[in-house]
Every structure is written in C-alpha cells, then in structure tokens.
Amino acid sequence: MRTNLKIAWRNLWRNKRRTLITVASIFFGVLLSAYMTSMQEGSYEKMVDMVVKYYSGAMQVHHENYWESKSINDTFEESQDLNQLILANEEVDFVIPRLESFALASSEELTKGVMVVGTVPEPENRLTSLKNNVRQGSYLSDNDQGLLIGEGLADYLRLGINDTLVMISQGYHGISAAGKYPVRGIIKHASPELNKMIVYMELKNCQEFFSANNRLTSLVVNIKDNNELEKSLRKLRETLNSPYSIMSWQEMSPEMVQQIESDRAGGIIMKAVLYIVIGFGILGTIMMMIAERRREFGVMIAIGMQRYKLATILFYETLFIGMIGALSGLLISIPLLSFQAQNPIPLTGQAALVMEDYGFEPYMFFSTEPSVFWHQALTVFLITLVIALYPIFSANRMKLINALHA
Amino acid sequence: MGTHNHQTIQPHNHTAMTIIEIKELFKTYNDSEVEVHAVNGVDLNIEEGEFTAIVGPSGSGKTTLLNMLGGLDQPTSGNIRIDDTDLGKLKSSQLIDFRMKNIGFVFQSYNLIPVLTAKENVEFVMHLQGRPKKEREARTMQLLEAVGLKGREDSRPSKLSGGQQQRVAVARALASKPKFVLADEPTANLDSKSTENLLNIMEELNKQEKITFIFSTHDQRVVNKAHRVITLEDGKIISDNRKK
Ligand SMILES: Nc1ncnc2c1ncn2[C@@H]1O[C@H](COP(=O)(O)OP(=O)(O)OP(=O)(O)O)[C@@H](O)[C@H]1O
Ligand SMILES: [Mg+2]
C-alpha cells in the first residue's frame, strides 16, 4: 500500500511537464466552473433575497381565496390564537401581520399607482431591515400616521419629507377609501421595482384607510433556519385549517423558481462540456503514461506483482493528478471568490439598465456557498474515478509476453 | 504391501533432487504464414543447485524455452513441472503468485523499476511476499553488498551503469529466495569486465545460497563458467554436457 503510493507518486514526476499541463487543465477547469457557479448562485441568492428577505418572507398565511383573487375582501381577522398556533412551532421565529392592497397616489400635480403595505414597524424591520434603508426622514413608529415611501416613487411624485400624499382606493367590501398622509420617510428599497411603487403604513392606519378593521391579507411567517422550510411548511399545513392557507415563497414566486432552475440547467450543461474536455485531456495523459510503460508493467507482473496491484498504482496516479488539480483549483478559487463575494462587480451601461428593468441591482453577485466548491471537487473526483477504469482494464488485458517485448 | 513411501518417487541415484521437469515441450507460432516451431519437443530435467547455460544460434528457441519455464508464456503442448506444481494447471493469478514465490528473473535489458532506488528494487518482491521490514532490510543490504553495490543503495537505476544495474537485478532476483533464477542473456549488454564481474557474483551466490541458475547466452566466456551447457538448435536439444 505505502509502496504502491510511493511508486505512483514518483511516476507522476517522471514527465513533470506533462503532469503539470494536465494538472493545470484541471486547475483552470475547477477555477472556471467554480467562478461560473459562484456567479450564478450569487445572482440566484440575490433574486431570492430580494423576494424573501426584502419582501415576502419564507412563508405567508392567507385567506384561502386570497392568492387567486388578490382581493381585499378575501382577508382574515387578526387573531392571537392563530399567532400562538403558528409560533408554537419550534422552527418559527416571528410573524408579521400585513394588510396589502393597491391605491392611486397623488401629489400636487402627479398621480401613480402604488402598492400599499400596512405592517407593524418593528417585526417588519426585523425581516427587511427597512430602517437601514431610510434615506430621508425617519422609519415608521408604532401608531404612526405617516408613510414610508420608495425613493423612486418620491422622485416621480416630487415629494419630500412632510409633504402630503393623497391616496384613493377601494376598501373592504367596496367601501371607498381616501386619505391624506404626511411622508415620514423615504427609503431606498432593495428591490428596484418596489422602490418605484411601494408605500408602507402602520398596520392600524392602513386598516382604517381600507375600512378593514382588524383584517389582514397576510401573516408573514419567518423561520429561524431556512433549511427547515420544507419541514415547518409541512407541519404548519397540517395545523392550519380552512379558511387559512399557507404558502412558501417558492409557491408564491413560481416564475422565479423556474427561471433559476432553467438558468442553473444551462450552467450545468456548460460545465459538463468543460469537464468532458478536461476529462479527455486526463485520459490522454493516462493512456500515454500506460503506453510508455508497458514493458515496465510486464516486468512487474513477471516478477510476481498481481495485476490488480498494478491497477492500484495506476489508479493512484490518476487520482493524484485529479486531486492536485482540484485542490490547487480550490486553493485559488476559494479566496478569489470570497473576495468577489465581498466586492460584487458593478455593471455599467446597457447591462445595468437591463438588470434594473428586471428589478435587480446592477451588480454581479457571487456566492460562497460550500456547494460551489465541493461540487467541483466532487466532479473532478468522479471524472478521475471513471478515467481510472481505463488503466484497470488495460492492466487486466495486457498480454504479458507482448508487454515484455515492448 | 504397498506402503505409501513417497520417497521412492525421488531419484535416489542422484545426490541432488530434480526441481524442474520438462516433458515433450512444444511451442509453435503460426501467426505468420509459415509455422515456426520455436521449441520443438524438449525433454529436460534441472537439478537443484545447478548453474546451467543454454546456448544455441539466434532463433534456436532459448528465449522461448526460458519464458515457458518462467510461466511467462504458455506452451503449445507438453508439460512443465516445478517441484510438485504443474505450471499448466495454474490460473493466471496463481501463476503470478507462483513466480513471486519461486522464480527470480534477470532480463537482458536490466528492467529495474525506474522510480525505485537500488535498495527499493531489491526489496520489491519481498514487499510483494509480505516479508517483515527487518528481514527485508537485512537481506537487501546483504545482497547489495554481495553484488558490490554497498553505498549505492539509494541511487535510482538511471544513475547506475549497465553493469551496476544488472547486479541490482541479480540481487532483486535472489532477494525473494527463489527456487531458481532465470536469466535470458544477462550479459548481452555488458562489457567484458562487467560480464566477468557479474558471472563471478552469480557463481558465488549459486555456491553460497544453493540457488539454481539457468541462463541463456551467446558469450563463450559465460559458457565456460557454466557447470552444465545445454545446446539448442531449431527448438531441439542437440547436446547436454555436464562439466563437473
Ligand atoms: N511472438 C512470436 N511470434 C512469432 N514467432 C516468434 C515469436 N517469438 C519468437 N518467435 C520465433 O521463434 C523462434 C525462436 O525464437 P527465440 O526468441 O526463442 O530465439 P532465441 O534462441 O532466443 O534467439 P536469440 O539468440 O536471437 O535471442 C524464432 O524463429 C523466432 O522468430
Ligand atoms: Mg533470445
């Protein structure tokens, strides 16, 4: 075993240049695909964050008809019992009651459709960190009669702090809703799309505006650990009965989930092509190594080495090449991508505009999820395992007498 | 009657016992248009401790015979018995184990394992045999000293001369304490001084360790050293002379 490892290791360096070239091809392959994966996953994380962290939360409880109708009539009564029932789940961290609907908002000369979110300031901030995004004025306080509006909306309506915004809409059961409110604060919402249309109000204030006293469109359920999402969703689904229904963020944003999936699949195909090319490179090296050493193998078998032991040496050699390549690739890509994750690449020009159009920040984000890295290591390992079959077959097939004559 | 006395099978009118018994051995190549009878009916016994040369013109079948004797190649027909083992009855992996335990090889072009040092090359088969480290090292040192390579234990083959490499190869062949050593033209690539040196070493080891040597050669000086000379021609033994 030790001797076999020693022989394998020394064999690698008999043709230093060839080994290094092969190792370099794996190194660059790992680096490239780690970089690509990191960038992809980084953008997905950002997309998901945009939805989950800055807006929807992990799960929401609605009236069972609400998701279809999106109507303020399909709301439910705020209830401590319901809150208790949900909070009794150990995975659940906290909840945010919300009342959401649409309204027409006007300043002195301009009007725009807006999305009104009535919420409780403290837990809302806990999920979305809205307070940090306040650019002018202040965040909402309890019982606040004022509004927190998106920066884009403020710009469009040319509103400043303490200016008045007039809103009209349709309230609960068709009651007309109208009111005028002072602008308490202006926020830069993380989602550029919401930034142009969002109006936050204190929940009570909002319920009054829509004549929907004590009613909620949604109860945002936040969990302690995102990996527990499936489990806690399953449990909550069992406990909650009609008229409630609970949805995960994936169910609320199926297009996004699908977009991520198909984009990820595209990336996998590209990486597969890359790795296949690298795989054939390694195979070529291994085949050459074997062809050159046929006589040596013949001698080893002649003096009494079993073929499987010979195959073991060749297997180690293949594995070493893969391991050196993968490890050096990881050694560089981990710090590089950690740096990139801290310093996303800003996009400029057309690309930036497109991103903003789609509601994203104009940056290339990078992920440093462990899977970004260990998937590369695993892939290289599997490739080497497959390639290592070749020397195993050839060690078993080799005609001894021909090998000795080689 | 008929008490089972196995000793009666052994030749009692010889001082040494037969370790190799070859019967009606044929090897025919017919991969070209003409059939080549490389070994054409050889019957031969080799006794323990012999120092035997196989000679004959080029193409007479020396290599072919030695390869079959070493279990490296299969005869077309006939039978090779080594002690109680019929080589033809062994499976490929058993044959490898058999070689590991019983046969030492010296090749014309040395054929050391290039990535291993002289010492590691000598130890190699003992490793395969699973001998303990202490024993391996003691035997390796003893043999390297015997072949005059003390001080060169840690040199790789590429740093050794042909003669030195071949001496390492002889040490390697002996390390496993084989029943016999096969050497196909061991001196063909050596100058006359190295040849003499190697022959003396082989003869000395043959005497000291009682190891049977069978080697083929074209070199008259090598032939002169042999205790028994078997001459092949066209795959047949045409003479078999014992000197001592
Ligand atoms: N693999 C093979 N295929 C076909 N013919 C072969 C093969 N190996 C050997 N022969 C033939 O068998 C005959 C005996 O060859 P062998 O190598 O045993 O001779 P040799 O006595 O060792 O010769 P030399 O002294 O040149 O080494 C030769 O005619 C040779 O051409
Ligand atoms: Mg020959």
Side-chain angles (χ1 to χ4, degrees):
Chain A
M1 165 81 184
R2 281 255 320 277
T3 317
N4 292 351
L5 280 173
K6 185 167 69 187
I7 294 178
W9 180 256
R10 290 185 189 167
N11 275 324
L12 281 192
W13 307 110
R14 279 163 83 171
N15 192 331
K16 230 178 251 161
R17 195 183 316 172
R18 184 174 61 205
T19 301
L20 287 177
I21 288 172
T22 314
V23 164
S25 81
I26 302 170
F27 166 82
F28 285 114
V30 167
L31 188 63
L32 199 66
S33 60
Y35 203 88
M36 204 166 100
T37 313
S38 171
M39 209 155 77
Q40 281 186 306
E41 293 299 324
S43 73
Y44 308 153
E45 277 171 19
K46 206 67 201 172
M47 281 164 82
V48 171
D49 272 3
M50 203 86 75
V51 170
V52 175
K53 269 216 205 118
Y54 301 137
Y55 188 64
S56 76
M59 295 175 277
Q60 288 188 4
V61 177
H62 304 125
H63 183 279
E64 58 194 353
N65 296 335
Y66 177 73
W67 203 250
E68 277 287 303
S69 68
K70 291 281 163 62
S71 157
I72 196 156
N73 295 332
D74 290 320
T75 45
F76 59 93
E77 194 109 18
E78 198 176 353
S79 114
Q80 278 312 308
D81 289 350
L82 177 64
N83 289 4
Q84 289 312 322
L85 194 65
I86 291 169
L87 287 168
N89 261 281
E90 55 177 3
E91 293 89 8
V92 175
D93 196 6
F94 64 102
V95 295
I96 313 168
R98 279 186 192 158
L99 179 67
E100 294 173 29
S101 192
F102 289 89
L104 270 178
S106 316
S107 60
E108 270 173 19
E109 58 238 53
L110 293 159
T111 299
K112 195 174 185 300
V114 296
M115 184 174 156
V116 182
V117 180
T119 185
V120 184
E122 188 271 324
E124 182 69 40
N125 183 53
R126 217 173 135 188
L127 172 67
T128 58
S129 310
L130 274 182
K131 212 182 267 183
N132 294 335
N133 294 343
V134 174
R135 289 296 138 98
Q136 292 175 51
S138 60
Y139 186 60
L140 296 177
S141 53
D142 293 344
N143 302 319
D144 205 317
Q145 296 295 307
L147 306 175
L148 198 61
I149 67 175
E151 200 173 43
L153 180 63
D155 286 348
Y156 181 84
L157 295 176
R158 302 200 193 107
L159 288 170
I161 300 301
N162 290 331
D163 289 352
T164 302
L165 183 73
V166 176
M167 294 199 294
I168 54 170
S169 182
Q170 199 177 49
Y172 188 54
H173 286 319
I175 301 167
S176 72
K180 53 183 204 176
Y181 303 92
V183 174
R184 191 73 71 217
I186 294 175
I187 55 162
K188 181 170 174 29
H189 200 282
S191 155
E193 200 185 354
L194 290 180
N195 202 36
K196 284 182 232 160
M197 59 183 299
I198 200 147
V199 174
Y200 283 101
M201 297 171 88
E202 204 280 321
L203 179 63
K204 288 272 164 326
N205 197 19
C206 186
Q207 286 168 335
E208 241 162 69
F209 172 64
F210 285 110
S211 306
N213 277 337
N214 233 13
R215 302 197 75 82
L216 303 176
T217 48
S218 47
L219 189 65
V220 178
V221 180
N222 298 291
I223 49 177
K224 290 167 190 153
D225 178 0
N226 275 324
N227 297 323
E228 302 275 279
L229 179 64
E230 287 297 317
K231 188 175 152 205
S232 102
L233 182 68
R234 219 178 318 119
K235 277 161 79 178
L236 285 172
R237 205 157 259 162
E238 269 167 31
T239 32
L240 292 174
N241 301 319
S242 185
Y244 304 115
S245 79
I246 185 160
M247 295 172 87
S248 67
W249 67 265
Q250 288 101 327
E251 290 164 319
M252 292 185 282
S253 321
E255 330 74 32
M256 189 177 74
V257 172
Q258 207 163 40
Q259 196 188 335
I260 290 176
E261 291 296 314
S262 70
D263 196 76
R264 200 177 261 147
I268 287 172
I269 291 171
M270 278 178 66
K271 281 178 272 182
V273 171
L274 182 70
Y275 275 124
I276 286 170
V277 171
I278 292 168
F280 276 105
I282 306 175
L283 182 63
T285 300
I286 299 295
M287 285 171 77
M288 261 154 57
M289 276 173 24
I290 291 173
E292 288 168 357
R293 278 157 49 199
R294 271 174 61 92
R295 178 206 279 264
E296 197 178 314
F297 297 157
V299 171
M300 286 170 139
I301 296 173
I303 65 179
M305 184 180 230
Q306 290 292 351
R307 286 165 191 265
Y308 76 87
K309 285 198 179 157
L310 180 58
T312 310
I313 293 178
L314 292 166
F315 175 73
Y316 288 149
E317 289 177 27
T318 318
L319 210 62
F320 278 146
I321 290 183
M323 262 167 40
I324 299 171
L327 287 180
S328 60
L330 292 182
L331 215 63
I332 299 300
S333 57
I334 290 174
L336 176 71
L337 289 167
S338 302
F339 173 80
Q340 291 284 35
Q342 297 298 315
N343 305 276
I345 303 174
L347 294 174
T348 51
Q350 199 60 33
L353 292 178
V354 170
M355 290 286 277
E356 293 211 305
D357 262 4
Y358 278 102
F360 297 116
E361 293 174 81
Y363 284 95
M364 281 295 196
F365 292 100
F366 291 84
S367 166
T368 48
E369 272 286 303
S371 65
V372 168
F373 304 107
W374 71 255
H375 279 180
Q376 314 314 321
L378 182 71
T379 311
V380 172
F381 181 69
L382 291 179
I383 290 174
T384 22
L385 282 193
V386 172
I387 291 171
L389 292 177
Y390 176 81
I392 290 171
F393 283 134
S394 69
N396 280 311
R397 226 182 24 205
M398 192 172 51
K399 290 278 243 184
L400 178 52
I401 206 75
N402 297 342
L404 281 170
H405 276 290
Chain B
M1 48 193 300
T3 51
H4 291 265
N5 190 347
H6 286 273
Q7 266 159 345
T8 55
I9 301 171
Q10 290 184 351
H12 27 255
N13 48 355
H14 286 276
T15 41
M17 71 179 218
T18 304
I19 55 167
I20 302 172
E21 216 180 312
I22 301 173
K23 277 216 180 95
E24 290 177 51
L25 198 68
F26 288 85
K27 178 74 180 182
T28 309
Y29 292 107
N30 41 19
D31 38 39
S32 58
E33 271 149 45
V34 283
E35 281 198 344
V36 179
H37 302 284
V39 170
N40 200 4
V42 166
D43 286 271
L44 179 65
N45 283 5
I46 305 275
E47 258 120 60
E48 190 172 31
E50 277 189 1
F51 199 64
T52 303
I54 297 180
V55 300
S58 183
S60 58
K62 303 183 292 294
T63 297
T64 310
L65 178 62
L66 287 178
N67 282 344
M68 288 190 290
L69 203 45
L72 302 175
D73 204 357
Q74 276 70 51
T76 309
S77 70
N79 198 302
I80 300 171
R81 253 185 124 67
I82 293 168
D83 276 355
D84 290 331
T85 311
D86 182 347
L87 282 194
K89 294 235 163 74
L90 297 181
K91 290 192 304 186
S92 150
S93 66
Q94 291 173 320
L95 202 51
I96 295 176
D97 268 343
F98 185 84
R99 287 197 297 263
M100 172 195 53
K101 289 179 187 138
N102 302 294
I103 311 177
F105 289 92
V106 178
F107 301 92
Q108 178 178 334
S109 41
Y110 331 133
N111 286 340
L112 297 175
I113 297 165
V115 295
L116 297 182
T117 62
K119 175 172 164 267
E120 289 164 341
N121 263 290
V122 176
E123 271 192 84
F124 187 76
V125 185
M126 286 190 278
H127 252 301
L128 295 177
Q129 291 177 326
R131 298 282 171 89
K133 190 172 159 116
K134 265 221 175 89
E135 184 191 334
R136 287 197 318 254
E137 295 200 329
R139 177 115 180 111
T140 302
M141 285 309 159
Q142 174 213 337
L143 281 166
L144 281 176
E145 197 173 345
V147 299
L149 285 173
K150 209 174 169 218
R152 301 306 303 267
E153 302 90 343
D154 295 323
S155 304
R156 297 251 187 122
S158 58
K159 297 283 185 310
L160 297 173
S161 73
Q164 290 171 327
Q165 286 186 57
Q166 199 62 308
R167 281 185 272 151
V168 175
V170 169
R172 173 177 73 181
L174 288 169
S176 56
K177 301 198 168 152
K179 288 207 172 82
F180 60 96
V181 173
L182 295 176
D184 190 12
E185 305 199 35
T187 61
N189 290 346
L190 302 183
D191 58 45
S192 55
K193 209 166 150 251
S194 303
T195 298
E196 197 184 331
N197 188 234
L198 189 81
L199 253 293
N200 289 338
I201 288 167
M202 280 166 57
E203 202 178 14
E204 192 58 33
L205 288 167
N206 166 255
K207 222 184 281 170
Q208 273 175 15
E209 306 226 352
K210 303 267 172 299
I211 289 181
T212 313
F213 274 85
I214 305 163
F215 48 92
S216 73
T217 187
H218 281 290
D219 190 331
Q220 195 51 47
R221 283 163 305 175
V222 178
V223 178
N224 292 341
K225 286 263 182 194
H227 307 165
R228 180 181 176 189
V229 179
I230 296 164
T231 311
L232 284 184
E233 212 175 283
D234 292 333
K236 287 194 169 91
I237 295 179
I238 55 164
S239 76
D240 184 350
N241 299 314
R242 276 173 221 263
K243 285 192 199 156
K244 299 183 181 169

